[in-house]
Amino acid sequence: MKNKKRPARPIKDIELVYDIQDYLRYKNERNYVLFALGVTTGYRAGDLVKLKVRDVKEALRTGYFLILESKKENTRNIRKENIKPREVKIVAKTEKILRSYIKDKKDYEYMFMSRKGTNKHITVSHVSRVISEAAENFGLQNITAHSMRKTYAYLIYVESGYDIVAVKEMLGHSSIEITKRYLGLDRELYDKYSDKLNNLIR
């Protein structure tokens, strides 16, 4: 039987978010900027890698990112791409990082360029490798490109006083049940209940 792929996990400890940022910053500025942008906007890595410098300049001008998020969905065995806009405020520290990063870049360039060709962006699988490698240095498993979005969601959940509706709205989910599964809240609760069974053993 084929092993089921484990879903990406959020980075729940803010100190570990700082550690991964520092690790990436010292190794590669591009990867550091992408991670900082990912965890403070909650955009999917597939949308982030397609950003061009002109997109970021426009976002800095207005103070908000507006990205047409694309998500592939299976409905009645018909695979379709669902595209919807999501607007996110640029926080002050991310703004400072972005302004510094784009200073000498041309408007038509991708923000996160690949070294493999002229004006090509890096792939999501490359982002996953980079972030997974950084996370493993700090003992974390199942951390991928998608963990940036999940980290954003989890930290919003905690900072909002566990307001699941706020997280749902900020992620653009269609239901609270989707958001609960996304954050792994049911799994956490069920595991906590299971741990109580420890008391049955002497």
Side-chain angles (χ1 to χ4, degrees):
M1 185 176 168
K2 197 173 180 180
N3 285 339
K4 189 178 177 183
K5 188 179 174 185
R6 299 194 70 177
R9 300 179 66 180
I11 306 160
K12 295 182 177 180
D13 185 336
I14 193 113
E15 289 296 323
L16 288 170
V17 175
Y18 296 154
D19 288 341
I20 291 170
Q21 279 180 65
D22 288 341
Y23 178 91
L24 293 172
R25 180 168 48 208
Y26 293 127
K27 291 201 79 167
N28 183 293
E29 185 188 21
R30 176 198 67 192
N31 298 337
Y32 160 66
V33 173
L34 191 148
F35 182 78
L37 190 55
V39 296
T40 58
T41 63
Y43 281 122
R44 292 180 176 85
D47 293 311
L48 290 175
V49 297
K50 293 173 188 169
L51 284 174
K52 293 196 171 182
V53 173
R54 63 172 170 261
D55 301 323
V56 172
K57 283 184 176 178
E58 176 60 18
L60 290 171
R61 186 185 68 77
T62 63
Y64 289 85
F65 268 106
L66 179 62
I67 292 182
L68 294 173
E69 289 190 315
S70 57
K71 183 183 179 185
K72 292 181 172 61
E73 296 178 344
N74 284 321
T75 308
R76 296 179 184 169
N77 294 324
I78 300 171
R79 194 164 174 79
K80 64 175 184 177
E81 191 168 35
N82 186 18
I83 298 176
K84 57 186 175 182
R86 190 162 76 85
E87 189 177 64
V88 176
K89 179 181 170 65
I90 304 175
V91 297
K93 289 181 181 177
T94 302
E95 177 184 350
K96 185 178 177 183
I97 290 167
L98 291 173
R99 286 193 187 281
S100 172
Y101 183 66
I102 66 172
K103 197 162 69 170
D104 299 318
K105 296 187 183 300
K106 299 175 179 66
D107 285 6
Y108 60 80
E109 291 179 345
Y110 284 106
M111 280 288 288
F112 308 110
M113 297 268 281
S114 168
R115 296 190 183 91
K116 291 184 177 177
T118 307
N119 205 29
K120 288 185 178 177
H121 62 71
I122 57 174
T123 63
V124 173
S125 60
H126 180 77
V127 177
S128 279
R129 281 195 301 274
V130 164
I131 291 176
S132 177
E133 177 195 295
E136 283 171 5
N137 270 273
F138 302 101
L140 297 176
Q141 302 295 320
N142 299 324
I143 302 297
T144 71
H146 201 55
S147 294
M148 295 186 293
R149 180 170 163 86
K150 287 198 169 186
T151 298
Y152 166 88
Y154 188 81
L155 293 178
I156 290 291
Y157 179 62
V158 173
E159 288 299 313
S160 68
Y162 308 103
D163 184 347
I164 195 75
V165 176
V167 182
K168 169 192 169 294
E169 292 301 317
M170 292 179 80
L171 288 176
H173 283 166
S174 57
S175 76
I176 285 175
E177 288 307 311
I178 290 172
T179 307
K180 283 170 64 178
R181 285 199 304 274
Y182 192 82
L183 290 171
L185 298 183
D186 287 341
R187 182 74 269 155
E188 271 188 7
L189 186 63
Y190 299 156
D191 287 350
K192 188 187 284 187
Y193 291 159
S194 295
D195 287 342
K196 293 288 185 186
L197 299 176
N198 239 354
N199 298 331
L200 296 175
I201 308 300
R202 295 187 62 178

